[in-house]
Amino acid sequence: GRGAMQAARALAQLGFTCSMVCGLLLDQFYLPGAPESICGKFIFLTIQSLCILTVYHALSFVSELRRLLGSPSSGLDRTVHWASCIAGGFGWFFSIMFYAVVWFDPNFQRNIVQYWESRGYYFGLCQHLIHAPSLFIIPLDAALKHPHIFVDTVGRASSISYFPYFFAYGLWYCVLIVYNFSVKKAWPYPFMNDFKTPFE
């Protein structure tokens, strides 16, 4: 019935939140290696995306739990449904970009994955556990959204209304990694070593 479906939505969001938190914990407390960075591992898109997704799914869980308990918050419901497009963008972006430009990079495999696995860490497995779940969670999250709220928020929002958020984030991240390079003389990802900058 309707109650069972609502309970499933709440449990799913709880599971999605736990998956993001587990990814953060793995990356922060199990995986070794400290990047040459002014902000530690936060220089990586993975950590930033996991933080964004953790907050999004946690708020989504609260939203669904309140509906399950009979005290829905229309403001929170609308916010998480509208933000689902931003969260989905980050979720697929950090997963797809990891496999597209990082995982298969020979330098990453040789200098990082093989290096740490030879020292007893399950480095490659952890990378998949961190980056792969969003490929499946994002479409599941979309399928579990309330259609009438989704249409009322996302359906009426112009696609260009999301553009400033992604543009601002991209600009901020570019400034961060270039400034980090000017200070530390290091890029966050091996494939970036081919870049040329005025700071070299």
Side-chain angles (χ1 to χ4, degrees):
R2 185 175 299 178
M5 185 60 190
Q6 186 56 45
R9 285 189 172 105
L11 287 174
Q13 291 298 340
L14 178 61
F16 299 160
T17 304
C18 290
S19 176
M20 298 300 109
V21 171
C22 286
L24 279 171
L25 293 177
L26 273 176
D27 206 315
Q28 287 293 308
F29 300 107
Y30 174 75
L31 291 181
E36 290 292 327
S37 164
I38 58 175
C39 54
K41 288 186 177 181
F42 195 71
I43 194 74
F44 294 127
L45 283 169
T46 294
I47 292 295
Q48 297 180 28
S49 297
L50 286 172
C51 287
I52 291 168
L53 290 168
T54 298
V55 172
Y56 164 73
H57 286 300
L59 290 176
S60 295
F61 168 65
V62 172
S63 172
E64 299 297 355
L65 183 62
R66 291 193 60 165
R67 294 181 70 85
L68 179 64
L69 297 176
S71 58
S73 168
S74 60
L76 181 58
D77 290 346
R78 291 175 61 84
T79 298
V80 296
H81 277 71
W82 181 85
S84 64
C85 292
I86 295 177
F90 276 102
W92 269 352
F93 178 78
F94 97 93
S95 294
I96 292 172
M97 289 301 290
F98 171 76
Y99 288 108
V101 302
V102 177
W103 177 251
F104 296 102
D105 185 336
N107 290 327
F108 180 76
Q109 289 293 326
R110 180 178 60 254
N111 299 332
I112 300 178
V113 178
Q114 293 176 15
Y115 176 84
W116 288 115
E117 288 192 343
S118 69
R119 283 156 175 74
Y121 291 92
Y122 296 101
F123 198 91
L125 174 62
C126 287
Q127 292 298 320
H128 296 307
L129 291 176
I130 291 169
H131 292 90
S134 285
L135 295 172
F136 307 97
I137 288 175
I138 294 305
L140 284 173
D141 176 63
L144 290 171
K145 284 287 178 279
H146 298 271
H148 65 286
I149 303 177
F150 190 84
V151 170
D152 190 47
T153 54
V154 178
R156 293 184 179 180
S158 168
S159 59
I160 201 171
S161 67
Y162 292 99
F163 177 77
Y165 295 92
F166 289 113
F167 178 79
Y169 179 82
L171 181 62
W172 173 81
Y173 189 70
C174 288
V175 171
L176 174 64
I177 61 175
V178 171
Y179 177 72
N180 183 78
F181 186 87
S182 72
V183 175
K184 297 291 187 177
K185 297 298 183 288
W187 295 109
Y189 300 102
F191 74 90
M192 290 181 171
N193 290 326
D194 293 331
F195 292 176
K196 299 298 181 183
T197 75
F199 306 109
E200 295 183 89

